[in-house]
Amino acid sequence: MLLIPCPWCGPRDEAEFHYGGQAHVAYPENPAALSDEEWARYLFFRDNPKGRFAERWNHTAGCRRWFNAVRNTATNEIEAGEVTA
């Protein structure tokens, strides 16, 4: 069982959360100007490191808020979540 630390509700079981992907991915300034290949790269290509990785999580079965957390992909240890808008 993975315990995820929600910044508002405290540590909760992973079943209460929805994974939102890599954190800090900037939306393109002018998406209409992107080629199909550039748009596909934005939508589908993400980092996949071994070690610390910033991720987005949504506490769907709790407060329903989004937050960022850093998870070690080798050990599944999660550092305290960071509040986001």
Side-chain angles (χ1 to χ4, degrees), residues 48-62:
N48 187 21
K50 181 177 181 179
R52 296 179 79 235
F53 187 59
E55 302 173 322
R56 303 267 300 143
W57 289 92
N58 180 255
H59 194 180
T60 52

Side-chain angles (χ1 to χ4, degrees), residues 10-39:
R12 297 290 192 265
D13 183 82
E14 65 183 301
E16 293 187 16
F17 295 87
H18 175 78
Y19 179 72
Q22 181 176 349
H24 312 295
V25 176
Y27 191 78
E29 280 189 38
N30 187 1
L34 298 179
S35 68
D36 287 345
E37 182 179 338
E38 291 169 324
W39 186 247

Side-chain angles (χ1 to χ4, degrees), residues 19 21-25 44-56 69-77:
Y19 179 72
Q22 181 176 349
H24 312 295
V25 176
F44 304 114
F45 285 68
R46 296 292 180 257
D47 296 335
N48 187 21
K50 181 177 181 179
R52 296 179 79 235
F53 187 59
E55 302 173 322
R56 303 267 300 143
V70 176
R71 180 175 62 92
N72 186 317
T73 59
T75 64
N76 266 346
E77 292 178 34

